[in-house]
């Protein structure tokens, strides 16, 4: 059984027992987090597609940890202008573990 969910403006394919990283969510580590924006549910070949979301479907997850990704360096240089800007960014994420998918 798997589902396709939407969170943080991105879509993820999730299965029970799997870990995955999403954009940071406001929940403490160890807490339970429910994702209700379910786009598709496949239950052993029985596929349910939402328009846009599947009603009464939800994915229950456990928040494992919060973290920050690798640094991305943004460097802009304007030739012959003696101008350069160097910036860095580390995206924050939350690691979730899928406990149950209900449709």
């Amino acid at each position: 059984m798997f589902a396709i969910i939407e969170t943080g403006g991105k879509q993820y394919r999730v299965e029970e027992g799997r870990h995955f990283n999403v954009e940071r969510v406001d929940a403490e580590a160890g807490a339970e987090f429910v994702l209700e924006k379910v786009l598709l549910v496949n239950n052993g070949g029985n596929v349910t597609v939402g328009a846009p979301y599947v009603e009464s479907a939800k994915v229950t997850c456990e928040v494992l940890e919060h973290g920050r990704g690798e640094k991305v360096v943004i460097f802009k240089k304007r030739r012959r202008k003696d101008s350069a800007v160097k910036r860095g960014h580390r995206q924050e994420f939350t690691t979730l573990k899928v406990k149950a998918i209900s449709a």
Side-chain angles (χ1 to χ4, degrees):
M1 179 175 201
F2 72 88
I4 297 179
I5 56 114
E6 177 185 339
T7 180
K10 299 178 182 69
Q11 296 176 4
Y12 301 92
R13 182 181 190 267
V14 298
E15 298 178 21
E16 290 185 23
R18 290 281 179 105
H19 304 150
F20 65 103
N21 292 337
V22 297
E23 299 288 323
R24 187 172 176 110
V25 295
D26 292 330
E28 296 292 324
E32 203 169 84
F33 189 73
V34 177
L35 299 164
E36 296 180 349
K37 292 185 177 181
V38 180
L39 302 169
L40 180 139
V41 176
N42 183 347
N43 190 1
N46 185 12
V47 179
T48 306
V49 180
Y53 304 116
V54 178
E55 292 183 27
S56 73
K58 62 182 178 179
V59 176
T60 306
C61 302
E62 177 185 355
V63 177
L64 296 180
E65 65 178 353
H66 299 289
R68 296 177 74 190
E70 293 292 318
K71 181 175 273 194
V72 178
V73 177
I74 298 97
F75 184 76
K76 297 180 181 179
K77 183 172 181 359
R78 293 161 194 89
R79 62 184 186 159
R80 298 185 304 270
K81 303 296 183 194
D82 194 27
S83 172
V85 176
K86 182 178 179 181
R87 292 194 180 116
H89 175 74
R90 291 182 67 187
Q91 185 66 39
E92 294 186 346
F93 65 85
T94 301
T95 302
L96 300 176
K97 179 180 181 181
V98 180
K99 292 172 69 177
I101 299 173
S102 61

